[in-house]
Structures are given as structure tokens and as C-alpha cells.
Amino acid sequence: NAGVTQTPKFQVLKTGQSMTLQCAQDMNHNSMYWYRQDPGMGLRLIYYSASEGTTDKGEVPNGYNVSRLNKREFSLRLESAAPSQTSVYFCASSEVAAAEQFFGPGTRLTVL
Amino acid sequence: AQSVTQPDIHITVSEGASLELRCNYSYGATPYLFWYVQSPGQGLQLLLKYFSGDTLVQGIKGFEAEFKRSQSSFNLRKPSVHWSDAAEYFCAVGTGNSYNTDKLIFGTGTRLQVFP
């Protein structure tokens, strides 16, 4: 039981490049989340998916898109990366929305 | 709007000393409250949670927290800190008005440093 996995662990992009962050959970959870963590700002919700087939914007959705591919997988896409998107990205899942959330190890993204 | 405030950005304690990390929330209804811990380079791990009932909740690693509605607080405590407790601690509140709420609002975190 791996819990929540994220790939890649590290990534460096140039401004304007695109990439997709992958997240998968093997706990049969309904809800999944993408957060970004920046120094002094805690975790801020980018997008979430309360159940398979639904996605909703969080606090900071601009510049991102998401896909809930199936119940297990929830990807985050940056279409045209900007330096302001340099951050650590965490994926999380929960059995019901806002119950205990289980977090992945994070992806550290640098945009030059 | 819902919000969470952790007034202490950085706390330093000696190993064996007691610890209290402060958390205040702003929320109109009965909140669902959480404390998470993040070790360097790691994801977040749940320490404890409050949904209802007894206002003093016990968590893992010897931590406890007390919900005080009158003070809108959910402070985290540990009677004797170990060097391995050095980490960043996040308080969070669940939004909405039922168990099936939408999302969590996190505080900005408190970094705990432990001296031997």
C-alpha cells in the first residue's frame, strides 16, 4: 500500500514550457486535491476533485488545469510555466471531502 | 471567510521542555480542526483531529490539542519535546457545515526547532 504517490520529485522548467504533474492514490479515496506550498504562506489549494468526474477551483487556480483521469489518478498541468509557479506541489486524497487528507511526498518545481 | 492563524512563525525549545503551538480560527459554525506535521523534505502527516465531542483530543507521537470555542482556538501541546519533533506544524480547518465539507484551509505554519 503506497498511499499517495507523485511524479516527478523534482523538475526544472524554462518560462513558457509545459508539464504535467502526476498523482495517484491506492486507498480508494473519492476526493483528491492539489496544493502549492510557498515559504510563509502555508498550503494553498489549487484545484480539487470531490469525486470521480468532478473538479473545482480552489484558492489559486490561475495558470493551472487538472484532470481526474479515474478514481486513482489526478493530474495537474501547467500549460505555460511562469517563475511565479516555482513552488512545492503536494497532492492529497481523502475518503470523504475534508476528512483526514493523506499527502504525497511533493514535487519541487523550479521555473527559470 | 474562513481563516486560520498561527501567530508563531518559529519556536525554539530545549529537549524535554513542554510545548504549546497556537492556532486560532475564524469560522461561523462548529469547525472541523486538524493539526499536521511536516518533516523536512516530506509530505504532511496528520497528528490529530477534532470533529465533535470531547474538546481535548489525543494524537500520535504524544501530542494533544484542546478545542476552545470561546477563544476560537485549537492549540497543540506536548508535555516533553523530543529532538525528533523538530518539524513544521500546520493547523487546518475544514470548511462547510457538515462532515462532507469541501476543503481544508491551512495556517501558515510554525517551525519548531529543538535544542539538545
Side-chain angles (χ1 to χ4, degrees):
Chain A
N1 191 338
V4 180
T5 57
Q6 294 182 235
T7 55
K9 292 189 186 304
F10 301 94
Q11 184 71 50
V12 179
L13 294 178
K14 295 181 180 178
T15 297
Q17 287 185 316
S18 63
M19 80 161 295
T20 300
L21 280 64
Q22 305 288 353
C23 174
Q25 52 91 9
D26 61 3
M27 296 173 282
N28 201 35
H29 286 169
N30 287 314
S31 302
M32 297 186 74
Y33 311 81
W34 276 106
Y35 294 90
R36 59 177 291 171
Q37 183 179 29
D38 302 292
M41 304 193 74
L43 278 79
R44 293 181 293 168
L45 184 65
I46 305 171
Y47 270 94
Y48 66 104
S49 171
S51 61
E52 188 178 355
T54 68
T55 60
D56 286 285
K57 295 179 180 179
E59 182 184 354
V60 288
N62 292 343
Y64 305 95
N65 285 301
V66 290
S67 295
R68 184 73 183 268
L69 305 171
N70 47 56
K71 192 171 186 179
R72 289 187 64 248
E73 298 172 288
F74 188 39
S75 63
L76 178 72
R77 183 161 178 83
L78 287 70
E79 290 290 352
S80 179
S84 61
Q85 294 178 306
T86 293
S87 187
V88 181
Y89 291 86
F90 287 100
C91 178
S93 70
S94 66
E95 185 172 330
V96 293
E100 174 184 354
Q101 292 187 15
F102 293 81
F103 284 80
T107 295
R108 185 174 295 275
L109 175 67
T110 301
V111 182
L112 302 175
Chain B
Q2 299 92 347
S3 65
V4 176
T5 301
Q6 293 181 246
D8 303 306
I9 297 172
H10 187 199
I11 284 183
T12 301
V13 300
S14 298
E15 190 170 20
S18 63
L19 173 70
E20 182 170 30
L21 302 182
R22 296 182 291 166
C23 173
N24 293 98
Y25 65 89
S26 172
Y27 190 67
T30 299
Y32 302 96
L33 296 160
F34 306 81
W35 273 101
Y36 283 84
V37 61
Q38 183 182 31
S39 297
Q42 303 296 314
L44 277 72
Q45 180 185 21
L46 182 73
L47 282 176
L48 47 78
K49 59 190 176 188
Y50 171 78
F51 285 162
S52 64
D54 193 345
T55 56
L56 184 64
V57 294
Q58 303 296 321
I60 62 171
K61 305 184 181 185
F63 285 92
E64 66 178 26
E66 185 171 13
F67 170 58
K68 293 185 177 180
R69 184 188 302 274
S70 62
Q71 299 177 19
S72 297
S73 69
F74 189 57
N75 294 348
L76 182 70
R77 301 194 295 248
K78 187 170 185 178
S80 179
V81 171
H82 188 263
W83 64 266
S84 61
D85 293 325
E88 188 148 23
Y89 292 80
F90 292 93
C91 182
V93 62
T95 63
N97 56 10
S98 70
Y99 184 68
N100 289 316
T101 55
D102 285 336
K103 43 196 178 288
L104 298 181
I105 304 295
F106 284 85
T108 52
T110 297
R111 181 167 297 279
L112 174 65
Q113 192 171 7
V114 180
F115 282 114

